[in-house]
């Protein structure tokens, strides 16, 4: 009984850990997208201030060029994290299925124990009922 409870606690812990990992990756992706959007606004602001929107132009603002590079890196990192997110979600699904299997097994064993106890109780009541009265 104790090892079953320990196994169930372990499976629940693993599912919680996988959920946290998925959540962290999703937050990182959202942060990268937010930062890339902020950089887009800064780039547009810098381009409108300089009056040049062609990055190939010799007088294109240096800050805007650097921001373009950072924005592209952020987007690439977010795309890379999407692959990790898919893996993490698959691992979460697998851990959840393992936990469910253990829970179902636990429920079955507990039901078997309850049925055995009920049968013992019924047998004791039957033996009490069959005793002659004095």
């Amino acid at each position: 009984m104790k090892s079953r409870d320990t196994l169930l606690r372990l499976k629940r812990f693993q599912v919680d850990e996988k959920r946290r990992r998925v959540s962290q990756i999703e937050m990182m992706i959202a942060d990268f997208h937010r930062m890339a959007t902020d950089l887009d606004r800064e780039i547009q602001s810098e381009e409108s201030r300089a009056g040049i929107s062609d990055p190939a132009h010799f007088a294109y603002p240096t800050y805007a060029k650097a921001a373009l590079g950072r924005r592209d890196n952020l987007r690439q990192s977010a795309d890379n994290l999407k692959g990790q997110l898919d893996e993490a979600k698959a691992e979460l699904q697998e851990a959840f299925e393992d936990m469910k299997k253990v829970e179902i097994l636990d429920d079955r064993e507990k039901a078997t124990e309850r049925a055995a106890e009920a049968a013992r109780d019924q047998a004791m009541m039957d033996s009490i009922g069959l005793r002659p009265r004095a």
Side-chain angles (χ1 to χ4, degrees), residues 2-105:
K2 225 171 201 269
S3 65
R4 189 175 357 137
D5 292 340
T6 303
L7 179 61
L8 190 55
R9 259 196 322 267
L10 173 67
K11 294 297 181 182
R12 286 180 179 151
F13 176 77
Q14 289 172 343
V15 167
D16 289 342
E17 283 298 308
K18 304 289 183 190
R19 276 190 188 127
R20 272 192 283 280
R21 183 165 183 255
V22 167
S23 177
Q24 286 174 338
I25 293 172
E26 287 173 339
M27 287 189 311
M28 287 173 62
I29 290 171
D31 285 345
F32 287 172
H33 283 300
R34 181 189 50 76
M35 289 187 280
T37 302
D38 291 346
L39 285 172
D40 276 336
R41 279 193 292 270
E42 290 180 24
I43 291 166
Q44 287 179 340
S45 172
E46 193 68 21
E47 287 175 348
S48 65
R49 193 176 346 207
I52 301 169
S53 61
D54 180 18
H57 192 276
F58 74 94
Y60 190 76
T62 306
Y63 175 76
K65 276 186 185 177
L68 279 171
R70 285 195 308 270
R71 181 200 62 196
D72 292 342
N73 287 340
L74 285 169
R75 288 182 177 161
Q76 184 178 15
S77 295
D79 290 342
N80 292 340
L81 282 175
K82 287 179 185 175
Q84 290 181 19
L85 179 62
D86 292 339
E87 286 178 27
K89 284 182 176 181
E91 290 174 7
L92 173 61
Q93 181 66 30
E94 185 178 318
F96 186 75
E97 288 171 1
D98 287 346
M99 182 187 73
K100 281 310 209 184
K101 288 176 188 175
V102 171
E103 285 179 343
I104 290 169
L105 180 62

